[in-house]
Amino acid sequence: MSDTAPPSVLFVCVHNAGRSQMAAAFLTHHGGDRVQVRSAGSAPADAVNPSVVAAMAEVGIDVSAEVPKMLTVEAVQASDVVITRGCGDTCPVFPGKRYLDWQLPDPAGQGVDAVRPLRDDIEQRIRALLDEIAPGGQG
């Protein structure tokens, strides 16, 4: 057993109500204790998008109790990998961190039918990321 901390991943989007919540939930679900997971937004919404909650429930992941969180400098500093969705200048950049920008459509205002393909795309990206940063699990 290693005493090295597991890799830490931060998912950032503007409202922290859709894409970043789905990504964080999938990474937590598939990664377990092999990863540390955070999500945040540069302008957090009041609640997670109801269509996102419904789409995730369809695959057995409950995000109904999640609350959008404000992006902080500390959250970025504490993360090894920062995955953004076009937050541009509002995302602080620090040397030694790995930054990925996933181009994903915004589910805001969309019904669950429109969210499903986005959910499935995010899950595939999460599985690939997990294989790369914390291989060896069941996923």
Side-chain angles (χ1 to χ4, degrees):
M1 185 81 177
S2 170
D3 47 346
T4 304
S8 175
V9 180
L10 170 64
F11 295 98
V12 181
C13 64
V14 174
H15 300 298
N16 190 221
R19 297 162 291 200
S20 56
Q21 291 285 349
M22 286 189 283
F26 275 127
L27 187 55
T28 299
H29 178 76
H30 293 304
D33 60 4
R34 293 185 292 143
V35 290
Q36 294 176 350
V37 182
R38 298 177 181 85
S39 71
S42 53
D46 293 330
V48 175
N49 179 329
S51 296
V52 166
V53 172
M56 293 301 285
E58 290 177 354
V59 296
I61 299 176
D62 182 6
V63 297
S64 63
E66 295 298 325
V67 177
K69 293 167 276 313
M70 176 60 81
L71 175 64
T72 64
V73 169
E74 293 78 18
V76 177
Q77 287 176 316
S79 301
D80 298 310
V81 181
V82 180
I83 299 176
T84 61
R85 173 48 194 105
C87 69
D89 294 341
T90 62
C91 234
V93 175
F94 295 98
K97 307 293 178 194
R98 180 173 173 200
Y99 292 86
L100 301 171
D101 190 54
W102 288 357
Q103 296 298 317
L104 298 164
D106 189 347
Q110 302 293 314
V112 72
D113 288 343
V115 174
R116 281 184 194 112
L118 175 59
R119 172 201 65 201
D120 296 343
D121 180 9
I122 289 172
E123 184 176 23
Q124 288 179 336
R125 291 171 187 244
I126 290 301
R127 286 179 180 274
L129 176 70
L130 192 55
D131 285 345
E132 181 184 328
I133 66 170
Q138 304 305 319

